[in-house]
Amino acid sequence: MIIRMSRAPHHPTRDQIELPLLLDCLSDPIRLAIVYSLAKQEQPAEMRCGDFNALSGKSNLAYHFARLREAGLIQTRIAGTTRFMRLRRDDLELRFPGLLDSIIAAAARDAERLQLPDCEIVTEG
Amino acid sequence: MIIRMSRAPHHPTRDQIELPLLLDCLSDPIRLAIVYSLAKQEQPAEMRCGDFNALSGKSNLAYHFARLREAGLIQTRIAGTTRFMRLRRDDLELRFPGLLDSIIAAAARDAERLQLPDCEIVTEG
DNA sequence: CACATTGTTCAATAGTCGTTGAACTAGTGA
DNA sequence: TCACTAGTTCAACGACTATTGAACAATGTG
């Protein structure tokens, strides 16, 4: 599980998404919470990094975002000084049909136990 | 993620099965291969530890079996000098409906890439 | 009994993970 | 220009992981 964090977001192509890496990514409570929040989001289903500040410190979140990107779970779009992330739903569904949905459903069942955010995230405005 | 390996198999009850622990367990290629093999097995779907000797050394397998047990994925039955393990399908299905199946399906898609055993395991007879 | 088989437990190892804080880059706006 | 904001990168740390081999227990067989 080599992680290359430096230089360029390096999103893997759909075919490069690896099952063990994906599962490992979602086995971390913070990353699961991030993915869960993105999954519950309405269209266009984009969120900023700052929306997750309640979960951990900024530098720690940057680490988790990088892992989620490397695993192919999220994609990052840079707009000015903020980055917008969205779940790669279509790619994941094509690569492993039904997998993401069943994991999200499992997480939803344990929302309290996993202390998942209620997803009514205030966009401070 | 504290692991307590010593003394007694310590299978968690169905409700004690934790999603992050389960995903972490299946994110390891060896453990995924073990679970995959058990899932593909016909009734009564039991296999011996020795059936997995091709995957790694015995002591390393014992370590992985312990993790699978602690996560609630498998159950061990001792008969004489051999141990029979089976997937806790029913418990897992009740706890997280559809989850195990979709992970197995995803693994099956990548069977070659993951170098999963062909599951026609010779029981040496 | 001696001896092989099955699998676990223990100790030690190198490598990786998640977390922290400080330093840094890059837009935004006064 | 100076300051503020958003987020990344870096270095360091303690904790955990997977792996190995040797020692151990327990069962079965001659």
Side-chain angles (χ1 to χ4, degrees), chain A residues 14 17 43 86-97 100:
Chain A
R14 185 202 307 150
I17 296 174
Q43 291 299 334
R86 60 162 238 273
L87 252 186
R88 292 178 63 181
R89 284 206 113 120
D90 298 350
D91 281 336
L92 292 164
E93 184 61 22
L94 282 165
R95 182 82 172 84
F96 301 121
L100 182 65

Side-chain angles (χ1 to χ4, degrees), chain B residues 36-56:
Chain B
Y36 179 83
S37 296
L38 287 168
K40 295 289 180 188
Q41 201 72 1
E42 301 295 316
Q43 293 298 335
E46 279 188 325
M47 295 180 82
R48 307 175 320 180
C49 296
D51 291 332
F52 301 99
N53 283 343
L55 295 176
S56 184

Side-chain angles (χ1 to χ4, degrees), chain B residues 94-106:
Chain B
L94 283 165
R95 183 80 172 85
F96 301 121
L99 179 60
L100 183 65
D101 285 344
S102 66
I103 294 178
I104 297 300

Side-chain angles (χ1 to χ4, degrees), chain A residues 1 28 30-31 59-60 63-64 67 80:
Chain A
M1 199 174 303
D28 180 275
I30 290 185
R31 291 193 292 262
S59 70
N60 184 234
Y63 164 74
H64 288 301
R67 298 219 41 186

Side-chain angles (χ1 to χ4, degrees), chain B residues 45-95:
Chain B
E46 279 188 325
M47 295 180 82
R48 307 175 320 180
C49 296
D51 291 332
F52 301 99
N53 283 343
L55 295 176
S56 184
K58 280 161 67 166
S59 69
N60 184 233
L61 285 178
Y63 163 74
H64 287 301
F65 291 142
R67 296 220 41 184
L68 287 167
R69 252 185 280 112
E70 302 264 350
L73 276 158
I74 66 174
Q75 191 158 38
T76 304
R77 178 174 65 90
I78 301 179
T81 161
T82 85
R83 281 121 205 264
F84 291 96
M85 18 219 7
R86 61 162 237 273
L87 252 186
R88 292 179 63 181
R89 284 206 113 120
D90 298 350
D91 281 336
L92 292 164
E93 184 62 23
L94 283 165
R95 183 80 172 85

